[in-house]
Amino acid sequence: AQTVTQSQPEMSVQEAETVTLSCTYDTSESNYYLFWYKQPPSRQMILVIRQEAYKQQNATENRFSVNFQKAAKSFSLKISDSQLGDTAMYFCAFMKHEGDYKLSFGAGTTVTVRA
Amino acid sequence: EAGVTQFPSHSVIEKGQTVTLRCDPISGHDNLYWYRRVMGKEIKFLLHFVKESKQDESGMPNNRFLAERTGGTYSTLKVQPAELEDSGVYFCASSLVTGRSGANVLTFGAGSRLTVL
């Protein structure tokens, strides 16, 4: 079974600054997918970014980027130029590569962006 | 395109009562999933439908939980009778395809918060 650990329950960042969320995971799989999901207060949970384990290049989506360290089983999310709309709970998740549908989630990190 | 819709957004019931949560997936998505997050803990998988068939219900906690997806469209999750430990946020998600050609990308709803007193 896969486990996903997010060690930071809460983080606060000043608007326009950068914040990094940590995520580590444990798996015996060699190929898999990793995700960061974001859930703003009382709103839909949306996919922020995803990474395929066989790709060495770190995924980037606008102000969101990841630092994927496969050997260390680490998958951190960096939010650059933080905006008030980034305030949300962020979940790290793991999925096996082929034919899977079960996401294994971390406990989440609440990010608050201060004006 | 409309997203995954869940209601009610919040339900408060007393122990022993019954609650039914509803999920409307994205149109055309054959795959529908239920997940649950108990306060402060990880989001956990409950079950997976492919159209109207239960593909995997290994995450369902016990027989007080009943999920249905008649006609392969919307799904309901009934908890009867509700217990205190059932409190949490119930997420529904849907997807178009599973596996083979890449990651199965799930689209989630906003969740239904259940509070059992």
Side-chain angles (χ1 to χ4, degrees):
Chain A
Q2 287 74 33
T3 58
V4 179
T5 302
Q6 294 180 247
S7 58
Q8 306 149 314
E10 296 181 2
M11 298 195 74
S12 180
V13 61
Q14 192 72 33
E15 196 174 10
E17 297 291 309
T18 295
V19 63
T20 300
L21 283 58
S22 67
C23 173
T24 58
Y25 58 93
D26 186 23
T27 184
S28 58
E29 302 289 328
S30 59
N31 203 9
Y32 45 86
Y33 285 89
L34 295 164
F35 304 83
W36 279 98
Y37 278 90
K38 161 187 175 182
Q39 187 180 26
S42 301
R43 292 177 58 188
Q44 184 179 15
M45 188 157 64
I46 60 174
L47 178 65
V48 175
I49 200 166
R50 74 178 188 184
Q51 175 81 41
E52 298 171 36
Y54 66 87
K55 290 186 177 179
Q56 293 187 343
Q57 186 173 6
N58 289 322
T60 298
E61 287 288 340
N62 300 315
R63 298 181 294 105
F64 297 88
S65 62
V66 298
N67 182 5
F68 174 48
Q69 301 290 328
K70 191 173 184 179
K73 296 181 180 177
S74 171
F75 183 60
S76 61
L77 174 70
K78 184 170 77 173
I79 307 173
S80 303
D81 185 25
S82 297
Q83 300 176 1
L84 296 179
D86 296 333
T87 292
M89 176 159 278
Y90 289 78
F91 295 97
C92 179
F94 173 102
M95 178 187 283
K96 293 180 188 178
H97 185 252
E98 291 288 341
D100 198 22
Y101 45 82
K102 291 180 185 176
L103 284 165
S104 297
F105 283 91
T109 298
T110 300
V111 173
T112 302
V113 180
R114 307 184 310 272
Chain B
E1 121 186 306
V4 176
T5 306
Q6 294 187 245
F7 56 91
S9 57
H10 191 189
S11 180
V12 181
I13 62 173
E14 300 207 342
K15 176 182 171 180
Q17 290 185 321
T18 298
V19 63
T20 300
L21 311 177
R22 172 169 169 150
C23 169
D24 286 72
I26 292 173
S27 178
H29 281 195
D30 287 341
N31 296 281
L32 187 148
Y33 316 82
W34 284 96
Y35 283 77
R36 176 175 77 167
R37 181 174 189 244
V38 173
M39 190 56 65
K41 297 193 175 180
E42 297 84 1
I43 301 170
K44 296 283 193 182
F45 168 83
L46 295 179
L47 87 159
H48 169 213
F49 283 100
V50 177
K51 297 184 180 179
E52 66 275 10
S53 300
K54 291 177 185 174
Q55 192 76 8
D56 182 350
E57 52 185 329
S58 61
M60 294 288 265
N62 52 62
N63 58 11
R64 295 185 294 102
F65 290 75
L66 175 64
E68 295 180 323
R69 193 183 181 195
T70 306
T73 54
Y74 71 92
S75 174
T76 58
L77 179 64
K78 179 190 287 188
V79 184
Q80 179 183 29
E83 298 289 344
L84 299 178
E85 64 264 25
D86 301 333
S87 295
V89 180
Y90 290 77
F91 291 99
C92 177
S94 69
S95 71
L96 190 57
V97 295
T98 53
R100 288 217 296 269
S101 61
N104 179 21
V105 179
L106 278 63
T107 301
F108 283 83
S112 290
R113 181 176 295 277
L114 174 62
T115 302
V116 183
L117 303 176

